[in-house]
mmCIF file of all heavy atoms in Angstrom:
data_model
loop_
_atom_site.group_PDB
_atom_site.id
_atom_site.type_symbol
_atom_site.label_atom_id
_atom_site.label_comp_id
_atom_site.label_asym_id
_atom_site.label_seq_id
_atom_site.Cartn_x
_atom_site.Cartn_y
_atom_site.Cartn_z
ATOM 1 N N GLY A 267 94.163 103.716 101.423
ATOM 2 C CA GLY A 267 94.029 104.314 100.091
ATOM 3 C C GLY A 267 93.116 103.494 99.195
ATOM 4 O O GLY A 267 92.306 104.060 98.441
ATOM 5 N N MET A 268 93.232 102.154 99.267
ATOM 6 C CA MET A 268 92.356 101.283 98.481
ATOM 7 C C MET A 268 90.891 101.472 98.871
ATOM 8 O O MET A 268 89.999 101.517 98.022
ATOM 9 C CB MET A 268 92.767 99.820 98.684
ATOM 10 C CG MET A 268 94.111 99.455 98.084
ATOM 11 S SD MET A 268 94.036 99.373 96.289
ATOM 12 C CE MET A 268 95.673 98.736 95.933
ATOM 13 N N ILE A 269 90.657 101.552 100.174
ATOM 14 C CA ILE A 269 89.287 101.755 100.650
ATOM 15 C C ILE A 269 88.753 103.098 100.159
ATOM 16 O O ILE A 269 87.599 103.213 99.724
ATOM 17 C CB ILE A 269 89.236 101.676 102.191
ATOM 18 C CG1 ILE A 269 89.545 100.248 102.645
ATOM 19 C CG2 ILE A 269 87.884 102.111 102.714
ATOM 20 C CD1 ILE A 269 89.634 100.092 104.152
ATOM 21 N N SER A 270 89.604 104.133 100.200
ATOM 22 C CA SER A 270 89.194 105.452 99.721
ATOM 23 C C SER A 270 88.891 105.424 98.226
ATOM 24 O O SER A 270 87.901 106.016 97.768
ATOM 25 C CB SER A 270 90.305 106.465 100.023
ATOM 26 O OG SER A 270 89.960 107.743 99.545
ATOM 27 N N ILE A 271 89.727 104.708 97.455
ATOM 28 C CA ILE A 271 89.481 104.598 96.012
ATOM 29 C C ILE A 271 88.169 103.872 95.738
ATOM 30 O O ILE A 271 87.389 104.264 94.854
ATOM 31 C CB ILE A 271 90.658 103.860 95.332
ATOM 32 C CG1 ILE A 271 91.920 104.735 95.365
ATOM 33 C CG2 ILE A 271 90.309 103.480 93.893
ATOM 34 C CD1 ILE A 271 93.160 104.031 94.884
ATOM 35 N N GLU A 272 87.911 102.811 96.501
ATOM 36 C CA GLU A 272 86.668 102.056 96.321
ATOM 37 C C GLU A 272 85.459 102.919 96.644
ATOM 38 O O GLU A 272 84.449 102.896 95.928
ATOM 39 C CB GLU A 272 86.701 100.814 97.208
ATOM 40 C CG GLU A 272 85.625 99.795 96.869
ATOM 41 C CD GLU A 272 85.801 98.513 97.657
ATOM 42 O OE1 GLU A 272 85.475 98.511 98.856
ATOM 43 O OE2 GLU A 272 86.270 97.526 97.076
ATOM 44 N N GLN A 273 85.555 103.695 97.716
ATOM 45 C CA GLN A 273 84.455 104.591 98.077
ATOM 46 C C GLN A 273 84.265 105.675 97.021
ATOM 47 O O GLN A 273 83.123 106.018 96.673
ATOM 48 C CB GLN A 273 84.723 105.218 99.442
ATOM 49 C CG GLN A 273 84.650 104.227 100.592
ATOM 50 C CD GLN A 273 85.044 104.838 101.910
ATOM 51 O OE1 GLN A 273 85.689 105.882 101.966
ATOM 52 N NE2 GLN A 273 84.678 104.184 102.999
ATOM 53 N N ASN A 274 85.373 106.208 96.503
ATOM 54 C CA ASN A 274 85.277 107.224 95.449
ATOM 55 C C ASN A 274 84.635 106.645 94.193
ATOM 56 O O ASN A 274 83.906 107.342 93.478
ATOM 57 C CB ASN A 274 86.665 107.768 95.120
ATOM 58 C CG ASN A 274 87.231 108.616 96.246
ATOM 59 O OD1 ASN A 274 86.488 109.128 97.080
ATOM 60 N ND2 ASN A 274 88.557 108.765 96.268
ATOM 61 N N GLY A 275 84.937 105.347 93.909
ATOM 62 C CA GLY A 275 84.312 104.709 92.758
ATOM 63 C C GLY A 275 82.799 104.627 92.908
ATOM 64 O O GLY A 275 82.057 104.830 91.941
ATOM 65 N N ILE A 276 82.339 104.323 94.114
ATOM 66 C CA ILE A 276 80.894 104.262 94.361
ATOM 67 C C ILE A 276 80.262 105.640 94.211
ATOM 68 O O ILE A 276 79.199 105.799 93.577
ATOM 69 C CB ILE A 276 80.626 103.687 95.766
ATOM 70 C CG1 ILE A 276 81.119 102.241 95.846
ATOM 71 C CG2 ILE A 276 79.144 103.758 96.111
ATOM 72 C CD1 ILE A 276 81.066 101.646 97.242
ATOM 73 N N ILE A 277 80.929 106.649 94.767
ATOM 74 C CA ILE A 277 80.420 108.016 94.643
ATOM 75 C C ILE A 277 80.406 108.439 93.177
ATOM 76 O O ILE A 277 79.484 109.133 92.718
ATOM 77 C CB ILE A 277 81.279 108.981 95.485
ATOM 78 C CG1 ILE A 277 81.185 108.619 96.966
ATOM 79 C CG2 ILE A 277 80.830 110.418 95.268
ATOM 80 C CD1 ILE A 277 79.792 108.672 97.544
ATOM 81 N N LYS A 278 81.416 107.997 92.397
ATOM 82 C CA LYS A 278 81.463 108.353 90.977
ATOM 83 C C LYS A 278 80.271 107.782 90.227
ATOM 84 O O LYS A 278 79.702 108.446 89.344
ATOM 85 C CB LYS A 278 82.772 107.842 90.379
ATOM 86 C CG LYS A 278 82.942 108.201 88.910
ATOM 87 C CD LYS A 278 84.266 107.702 88.367
ATOM 88 C CE LYS A 278 84.264 106.199 88.205
ATOM 89 N NZ LYS A 278 85.506 105.692 87.552
ATOM 90 N N ILE A 279 79.877 106.547 90.590
ATOM 91 C CA ILE A 279 78.716 105.932 89.922
ATOM 92 C C ILE A 279 77.456 106.759 90.162
ATOM 93 O O ILE A 279 76.676 107.040 89.238
ATOM 94 C CB ILE A 279 78.532 104.491 90.422
ATOM 95 C CG1 ILE A 279 79.697 103.614 89.929
ATOM 96 C CG2 ILE A 279 77.199 103.919 89.948
ATOM 97 C CD1 ILE A 279 79.687 102.217 90.492
ATOM 98 N N PHE A 280 77.253 107.171 91.400
ATOM 99 C CA PHE A 280 76.073 107.983 91.708
ATOM 100 C C PHE A 280 76.147 109.341 91.013
ATOM 101 O O PHE A 280 75.126 109.878 90.559
ATOM 102 C CB PHE A 280 75.947 108.173 93.224
ATOM 103 C CG PHE A 280 75.429 106.964 93.944
ATOM 104 C CD1 PHE A 280 76.273 106.167 94.678
ATOM 105 C CD2 PHE A 280 74.082 106.616 93.869
ATOM 106 C CE1 PHE A 280 75.799 105.048 95.344
ATOM 107 C CE2 PHE A 280 73.600 105.497 94.529
ATOM 108 C CZ PHE A 280 74.461 104.707 95.272
ATOM 109 N N THR A 281 77.363 109.900 90.933
ATOM 110 C CA THR A 281 77.511 111.201 90.275
ATOM 111 C C THR A 281 77.194 111.093 88.788
ATOM 112 O O THR A 281 76.464 111.932 88.227
ATOM 113 C CB THR A 281 78.948 111.725 90.468
ATOM 114 O OG1 THR A 281 79.234 111.820 91.869
ATOM 115 C CG2 THR A 281 79.108 113.096 89.829
ATOM 116 N N VAL A 282 77.721 110.058 88.123
ATOM 117 C CA VAL A 282 77.448 109.866 86.699
ATOM 118 C C VAL A 282 75.961 109.598 86.470
ATOM 119 O O VAL A 282 75.355 110.114 85.522
ATOM 120 C CB VAL A 282 78.315 108.713 86.151
ATOM 121 C CG1 VAL A 282 77.876 108.347 84.737
ATOM 122 C CG2 VAL A 282 79.785 109.100 86.173
ATOM 123 N N ALA A 283 75.355 108.783 87.343
ATOM 124 C CA ALA A 283 73.924 108.498 87.206
ATOM 125 C C ALA A 283 73.097 109.771 87.323
ATOM 126 O O ALA A 283 72.136 109.979 86.553
ATOM 127 C CB ALA A 283 73.496 107.491 88.282
#
Side-chain angles (χ1 to χ4, degrees):
M268 292 287 187
I269 293 175
S270 178
I271 291 173
E272 194 173 76
Q273 291 175 341
N274 290 338
I276 296 172
I277 297 300
K278 182 179 72 175
I279 292 174
F280 284 105
T281 302
V282 171

